[in-house]
């Protein structure tokens, strides 16, 4: 009766690699307080929900869950940006989707006020195609890093738009 069930369980217990429940189910079983910063999303509402207030818009709108940056006149700023608390000396990676209505350059910056935030038009200038493509850039944050900003690059060009979606910023952790 019950003794044979106990013996049967003991046999199963000693011959089974994973036990009854399968693979390891416990994560952080050591109760480590170390946080994997590469898993922390630095951007709020990177998928641009229509009612978001997380982004600053300058000649831009959020429509159909994407940011549309409108370049209508020469000399005017056009951008979408968000403040982020970066850690000086850490490496970050931004990934996003972009498209444009004309073959004009767009720049990314991590300090739109001074352009000196580590991510600048010198290392993060790109020319989107007319269909969405995924882009990514990495940079080392300096003391001036305080935003992620997508901006028009040439202030003489007019009558074109660019679109940004699925923005993600993570700290890069090297093992």
């Amino acid at each position: 009766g019950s003794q044979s069930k106990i013996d049967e369980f003991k046999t199963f217990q000693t011959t089974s690699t994973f036990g009854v429940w399968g693979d390891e189910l416990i994560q952080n079983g050591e109760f480590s307080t170390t946080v994997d910063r590469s898993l922390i999303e630095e951007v709020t509402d990177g998928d641009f929900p229509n009612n978001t207030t997380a982004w600053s818009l300058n000649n831009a709108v959020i429509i159909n869950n994407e940011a549309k940056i409108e370049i209508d006149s020469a000399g005017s700023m056009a951008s979408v940006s968000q403040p982020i608390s970066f850690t000086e000396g850490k490496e970050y990676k931004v990934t996003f989707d972009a498209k444009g209505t004309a073959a004009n350059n767009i720049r990314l910056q991590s300090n739109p006020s001074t352009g000196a935030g580590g991510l600048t038009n010198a290392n993060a200038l790109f020319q989107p195609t007319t269909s969405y493509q995924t882009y990514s850039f990495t940079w080392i944050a300096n003391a001036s890093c305080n935003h992620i900003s997508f901006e028009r690059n040439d202030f003489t060009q007019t009558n074109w738009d660019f679109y940004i979606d699925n923005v993600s910023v993570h700290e890069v952790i090297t093992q």
Side-chain angles (χ1 to χ4, degrees):
S2 63
Q3 184 61 45
S4 68
K5 293 286 184 193
I6 293 171
D7 291 339
E8 186 179 318
F9 178 74
K10 285 180 181 176
T11 301
F12 174 79
Q13 189 178 22
T14 58
T15 59
S16 174
T17 306
F18 298 108
V20 178
W21 297 278
D23 291 330
E24 179 75 42
L25 297 178
I26 297 175
Q27 295 181 5
N28 195 19
E30 299 84 30
F31 302 102
S32 171
T33 57
T34 303
V35 175
D36 185 350
R37 302 258 330 138
S38 68
L39 301 177
I40 296 174
E41 178 58 62
E42 303 290 347
V43 169
T44 301
D45 291 343
D47 58 348
F48 295 97
N50 288 334
N51 61 350
T52 185
T53 58
W55 293 89
S56 296
L57 307 173
N58 190 341
N59 291 320
V61 295
I62 295 176
I63 188 166
N64 299 324
N65 295 314
E66 61 188 3
K68 177 183 180 186
I69 297 83
E70 303 167 324
I71 293 96
D72 294 327
S73 62
S76 65
M77 180 53 143
S79 66
V80 59
S81 65
Q82 184 175 125
I84 296 177
S85 296
F86 294 106
T87 302
E88 184 179 0
K90 300 289 185 176
E91 184 176 17
Y92 290 89
K93 180 178 183 178
V94 59
T95 304
F96 58 94
D97 297 334
K99 67 179 181 177
T101 60
N104 295 320
N105 287 331
I106 299 169
R107 67 181 177 211
L108 267 78
Q109 295 198 105
S110 54
N111 185 322
S113 298
T114 66
L119 182 64
T120 66
N121 61 343
N123 63 3
L125 191 65
F126 68 100
Q127 189 175 76
T129 62
T130 56
S131 60
Y132 269 117
Q133 301 290 323
T134 300
Y135 300 87
S136 65
F137 296 94
T138 58
W139 77 100
I140 305 295
N142 62 30
S144 297
C145 286
N146 59 14
H147 279 76
I148 190 74
S149 182
F150 299 86
E151 306 172 354
R152 74 183 291 174
N153 188 56
D154 185 340
F155 286 89
T156 64
Q157 299 166 339
T158 62
N159 301 319
W160 70 286
D161 303 322
F162 68 93
Y163 299 81
I164 302 294
D165 202 3
N166 302 315
V167 179
S168 178
V169 175
H170 292 275
E171 183 179 327
V172 176
I173 305 296
T174 53
Q175 303 296 340

